Amino acid sequence: MNSVVLIGRLTRDPEIRYVSESQMAVATFTVAIDRPVRSGQEKKTDFPRVTVFGRQAENCERFLAKGRLVGVQGRIQTGSYTNKDGVTVYTTDVVADRVEFLEWGDRNERSSQSARPAGQQGGDMDIPEGFQAIQDDDIPF
């Protein structure tokens, strides 16, 4: 079984391209996911790259932006290519079957109000145990 479910924040806006023959949209983005940390240990974060196809890719490009919280369901896919120096580079990507927008708003709406989940009007957000709140400015990319 090859199945993965991720929840994290985008490290930058999605990039979209269209496959020339079918004009199918392909969007890629990277998600920052904190690993659970025990007391006294250093925080660690993973940054898997996500690939989305078709109408869902267009919606990702339209509604997702750097720092937005997103849920991804899909599969792991590995591959390799030879770079310009002749070195083989191995890749691991998540190919998304489903992308859930956990924070909404048009990509152009960059106000602090649009970065909050639906129903939140300010104050402290309910952060699940093991996670910490971050702002767009806190993401180092």
Side-chain angles (χ1 to χ4, degrees):
M1 179 182 299
N2 183 353
S3 181
V4 64
V5 176
L6 306 170
I7 295 177
R9 294 192 179 274
L10 272 69
T11 60
R12 63 176 181 235
D13 291 348
E15 296 175 12
I16 193 164
R17 61 185 170 85
Y18 290 87
V19 178
S20 60
E21 293 176 8
S22 64
Q23 290 300 308
M24 177 184 282
V26 180
T28 57
F29 55 89
T30 302
V31 179
I33 304 168
D34 290 335
R35 293 184 191 174
V37 179
R38 290 191 175 139
S39 180
Q41 289 184 337
E42 185 178 332
K43 176 181 155 183
K44 294 183 181 176
T45 305
D46 293 308
F47 301 95
R49 191 171 83 159
V50 178
T51 304
V52 187
F53 296 94
R55 183 85 156 139
Q56 196 161 216
E58 293 171 346
N59 286 334
C60 287
E61 195 268 337
R62 181 176 175 197
F63 294 109
L64 292 179
K66 176 183 174 180
R68 291 261 170 87
L69 190 63
V70 65
V72 176
Q73 181 179 6
R75 62 183 165 81
I76 299 288
Q77 180 172 298
T78 59
S80 65
Y81 64 93
T82 304
N83 68 12
K84 64 182 177 183
D85 299 324
V87 176
T88 301
V89 177
Y90 296 94
T91 62
T92 302
D93 297 317
V94 174
V95 177
D97 297 322
R98 182 176 172 187
V99 177
E100 291 287 329
F101 307 146
L102 302 178
E103 292 180 337
W104 277 92
D106 273 338
R107 195 168 156 184
N108 296 329
E109 294 175 15
R110 300 299 297 193
S111 70
S112 61
Q113 195 73 301
S114 69
R116 293 191 177 119
Q120 294 285 342
Q121 294 301 320
D124 292 335
M125 294 195 303
D126 294 328
I127 307 294
E129 185 176 322
F131 290 84
Q132 75 185 109
I134 61 172
Q135 300 297 321
D136 285 357
D137 296 337
D138 294 336
I139 299 173
F141 316 99

